Amino acid sequence: MEAVDPIVFRLAIFVLAVFVGYYVVWSVTPALHTPLMSVTNAISSVIIVGALLAAGATAVDSGSQFGKYAGALAVMLASINIFGGFLVTQRMLAMYKKKEKPANKGETR
């Protein structure tokens, strides 16, 4: 019996993670999107640390440059996710702020 190629195994895990992430995000009610975004921002920070380690490990090792570019791509995508998450969270929190009534300009007393 042959062993499964590690690349196929990792690709299968990635595809399953994409499906699980898709269904988790679209199954959450809108009221819980802000806490979900906070959690994904925390997960993205872990991804950035891993990507920096991957990029740094290939920089030290004189092997293939694939890890370096994959790490740089992961840092870029996780950064977009973090900054986008903060922008969306800020926008959602602004929706819950109490709006002030405009002052009547023509009012005379």
Side-chain angles (χ1 to χ4, degrees):
M1 183 171 176
E2 291 185 32
V4 177
D5 188 16
I7 293 176
V8 173
F9 185 70
R10 291 175 186 144
L11 185 64
I13 290 173
F14 177 74
V15 170
L16 288 174
V18 168
F19 279 116
V20 168
Y22 177 80
Y23 284 110
V24 165
V25 168
W26 289 110
S27 298
V28 171
T29 60
L32 296 177
H33 276 189
T34 302
L36 181 66
M37 291 299 275
S38 300
V39 171
T40 57
N41 285 344
I43 292 171
S44 292
S45 64
V46 173
I47 292 171
I48 283 183
V49 170
L52 289 174
L53 287 174
T58 54
V60 171
D61 192 20
S62 62
S64 155
Q65 296 293 321
F66 176 73
K68 183 177 180 181
Y69 294 123
L73 180 66
V75 168
M76 184 183 76
L77 292 176
S79 299
I80 289 171
N81 188 25
I82 288 172
F83 293 121
F86 278 120
L87 290 176
V88 169
T89 302
Q90 185 178 16
R91 184 175 176 193
M92 288 185 74
L93 291 176
M95 291 171 57
Y96 292 109
K97 284 185 179 176
K98 207 172 201 176
K99 295 180 181 174
E100 296 180 17
K101 293 181 181 178
N104 291 337
K105 294 181 180 176
E107 185 175 310
T108 58
R109 287 192 176 187

